[in-house]
């Protein structure tokens, strides 16, 4: 059984930075992907970034490319999301999520992710 615990959210001004972390309990297989989605009020949950646990391959949503960096620490079973140049449109609840097999084609599809963290709020003010 895999469980995820995400943390690190907060409030920052536009242009600022935050770092989110996700602690993974249970075995993380090399083929699995662990990443982040976000959901703003009144909006659908949106793919942010994901990393394949074994080889570190990463995928990013278009809106965060060049600003966010996802990484993992396999010895500590932890996932991180470094968020730089934050903008008000980045305001959302951010969820850590895991898929047992990370597809190179459908990595952004919500229903492929079986395990979710409780979410952490990120608020960016202008």
């Amino acid at each position: 059984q895999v469980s995820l615990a995400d943390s690190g959210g907060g409030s920052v001004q536009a242009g600022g930075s935050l770092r989110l972390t996700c602690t993974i309990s249970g075995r993380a297989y090399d083929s699995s992907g662990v990443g982040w989605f976000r959901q703003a009020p009144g909006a659908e949950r949106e793919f942010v970034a994901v990393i394949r646990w074994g080889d570190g391959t990463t995928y990013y949503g278009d809106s965060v490319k060049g600003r966010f960096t996802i990484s993992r620490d396999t010895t500590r079973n932890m996932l991180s999301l470094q968020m730089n140049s934050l903008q008000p449109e980045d305001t959302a609840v951010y969820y850590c999520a895991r898929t047992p097999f990370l597809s190179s084609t459908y990595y952004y599809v919500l229903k492929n992710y079986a395990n979710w963290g409780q979410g952490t709020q990120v608020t960016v003010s202008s």
Side-chain angles (χ1 to χ4, degrees):
Q1 184 73 15
V2 175
S3 64
L4 309 174
D6 38 38
S7 62
S11 298
V12 295
Q13 290 192 326
S17 299
L18 281 174
R19 187 177 183 88
L20 306 182
T21 60
C22 177
T23 301
I24 304 157
S25 298
R27 183 174 177 180
Y29 293 92
D30 285 352
S31 61
S32 67
V34 192
W36 299 90
F37 285 73
R38 66 186 182 185
Q39 189 166 19
E44 294 187 352
R45 199 164 292 191
E46 173 192 22
F47 169 76
V48 175
V50 66
I51 188 167
R52 184 174 290 116
W53 197 255
D55 65 9
T57 298
T58 59
Y59 302 96
Y60 292 92
D62 289 342
S63 61
V64 306
K65 280 180 183 175
R67 299 188 299 124
F68 291 11
T69 302
I70 190 170
S71 61
R72 89 266 193 248
D73 183 335
T74 58
T75 62
R76 299 172 63 194
N77 262 21
M78 288 185 67
L79 178 75
S80 296
L81 184 70
Q82 179 65 40
M83 305 185 295
N84 297 330
S85 302
L86 283 162
Q87 299 301 316
E89 52 266 35
D90 295 315
T91 295
V93 177
Y94 283 70
Y95 296 90
C96 179
R98 175 189 173 271
T99 176
F101 176 79
L102 182 61
S103 164
S104 60
T105 305
Y106 301 111
Y107 53 85
Y108 58 91
V109 177
L110 188 72
K111 66 179 183 180
N112 290 340
Y113 290 78
N115 309 102
W116 294 85
Q118 78 280 6
T120 185
Q121 177 70 46
V122 171
T123 302
V124 185
S125 57
S126 57

